[in-house]
Amino acid sequence: MGFNGAATLALLILLVSSNSFNMCFGQLSSNFYDSSCPNALSTIRSKIRSAISAERRMGASLIRLHFHDCFVNGCDGSLLLPEEKTARGNNNSARGFEVIDEVKSEVESICPGVVSCADILAVAARDSSEAMGGPTWTVKLGRRDSATASETDANANLPSFTDNLDELISLFSRKGLNTQDLVALSGSHTIGQAQCSTFRDRIHNEANIDSGFASTRQRGCPTSGSDTNLAPLDLVTPTSFDNNYFKNLLQLKGLLHSDQVLFNNGSTDGLVRTYSESRSTFYSDFASAMVKMGDIGPLTGSSGQIRTNCGVPN
């Protein structure tokens, strides 16, 4: 065989090896289920819209589930297992698990053992945003589910409502997310509610807060007791995905300490101003950040499993 023939053979071997690698350790793809479960996305969308119609708050809860899943050892569905459910940032706080279970049951009925719980979380977050008037994006698919979860890892990796700006920037950076991603993703707090125990110290003790806002919130959250009383994260349009969250920060009406640190004479003040002035810029950056977050440490190819029941390993 001459040089050209040998080179051609070598190239073919390289291509075959590369294709084999991609099949075994495939990257995420937006058309992953086109052949194996073509009705997966429409089925998920229908169930999510029904859940949000029944309870508007659920949209925020489902976006949060995807976030809390990805930040602990990657987007692998481990949040849905008991060990992570009981972590500090999730216990008696994360919600919407029953919706994910209902979606999974519906998808299993049409395509048994095909669609992962991790992918359902990712799609549910996108569909929730869209259903509440927020941005949409193309979800990359093909994640597989972890067979294990860790309460310790969840405690170490989930952001806290007490975090300051440097702590948040550092935590997001460890996940491959930059400061713009941090501020954009924080904008999901334009929907949803928080428990009194998470904002009590801010409304009673912090100085960088609008006095009227603090007084209003104090009525439902006294200095002790009433820990589970709820207040909207966005006092203006709490059930619509918009950019009022950032407008609130400019007025020192961020409910959580970890919200207001984004606008407190720090490095993120400019981004908060930008998003408060341009909803389209916020939507674009939020969508990009959600795609980027969805790429954190997925299990693909032959790694992990496709859980039949999202709450327990196979």
Side-chain angles (χ1 to χ4, degrees):
M1 181 182 293
F3 174 78
N4 288 341
T8 301
L9 179 61
L11 179 60
L12 285 171
I13 292 173
L14 178 62
L15 289 171
V16 170
S17 298
S18 176
N19 287 336
S20 297
F21 179 87
N22 286 333
M23 284 187 287
C24 294
F25 305 97
Q27 299 304 303
L28 303 181
S29 164
S30 61
N31 59 4
F32 189 83
Y33 297 114
D34 281 7
S35 297
S36 59
C37 192
N39 293 323
L41 297 188
S42 60
T43 299
I44 296 171
R45 179 185 296 259
S46 177
K47 296 293 288 185
I48 295 304
R49 285 186 173 272
S50 294
I52 293 174
S53 293
E55 185 196 356
R56 191 75 174 167
R57 181 188 174 200
M58 186 55 68
S61 300
L62 294 173
I63 292 173
R64 186 168 182 250
L65 287 185
H66 181 43
F67 180 94
H68 279 217
D69 182 39
C70 292
F71 261 60
V72 184
N73 299 322
C75 311
D76 60 1
S78 57
L79 167 69
L80 305 172
L81 298 177
E83 294 86 347
E84 282 187 32
K85 282 185 179 180
T86 55
R88 279 195 303 269
N90 295 325
N91 194 34
N92 297 319
S93 172
R95 58 195 298 278
F97 297 109
E98 72 284 356
V99 174
I100 299 300
D101 287 341
E102 290 170 9
V103 172
K104 176 62 172 176
S105 177
E106 189 78 11
V107 173
E108 282 291 304
S109 71
I110 59 172
C111 306
V114 173
V115 181
S116 69
C117 301
D119 274 350
I120 289 174
L121 287 173
V123 176
R126 187 272 309 276
D127 291 348
S128 294
S129 170
E130 187 177 24
M132 300 191 74
T136 186
W137 55 93
T138 300
V139 179
K140 291 191 280 185
L141 302 163
R143 301 169 191 81
R144 289 169 64 83
D145 299 321
S146 172
T148 61
S150 169
E151 181 178 351
T152 300
D153 289 345
N155 287 336
N157 285 278
L158 291 176
S160 168
F161 58 88
T162 61
D163 285 347
N164 61 37
L165 183 58
D166 287 342
E167 289 170 330
L168 290 171
I169 290 173
S170 175
L171 177 59
F172 275 65
S173 178
R174 293 200 300 270
K175 306 301 177 186
L177 301 172
N178 59 32
T179 303
Q180 178 177 295
D181 300 322
L182 160 64
V183 179
L185 290 171
S186 297
S188 63
H189 283 184
T190 190
I191 52 176
Q193 301 186 65
Q195 296 184 21
C196 166
S197 58
T198 65
F199 60 85
R200 172 183 286 117
D201 187 62
R202 168 155 169 74
I203 63 172
H204 287 284
N205 299 317
E206 294 190 1
N208 62 337
I209 188 169
D210 177 86
S211 58
F213 173 72
S215 177
T216 298
R217 292 280 75 92
Q218 287 169 8
R219 289 199 287 271
C221 184
T223 54
S224 63
S226 305
D227 283 2
T228 59
N229 282 3
L230 297 172
L233 289 158
D234 169 12
L235 76 163
V236 183
T237 51
T239 59
S240 295
F241 198 112
D242 52 33
N243 63 335
N244 277 328
Y245 166 80
F246 298 104
K247 296 177 182 179
N248 295 336
L249 296 185
L250 296 183
Q251 299 171 24
L252 303 184
K253 295 178 180 178
L255 184 63
L256 304 179
H257 174 82
S258 56
D259 289 326
Q260 196 60 57
V261 296
L262 300 179
F263 189 79
N264 192 39
N265 299 314
S267 61
T268 53
D269 282 14
L271 275 168
V272 171
R273 283 197 184 92
T274 296
Y275 293 154
S276 74
E277 295 166 357
S278 174
R279 185 168 67 173
S280 62
T281 302
F282 164 48
Y283 277 17
S284 176
D285 288 355
F286 180 81
S288 295
M290 288 294 286
V291 172
K292 195 172 174 182
M293 186 183 76
D295 284 340
I296 299 174
L299 298 173
T300 59
S302 58
S303 300
Q305 58 186 228
I306 304 296
R307 277 188 236 134
T308 302
N309 179 336
C310 287
V312 295
N314 291 345

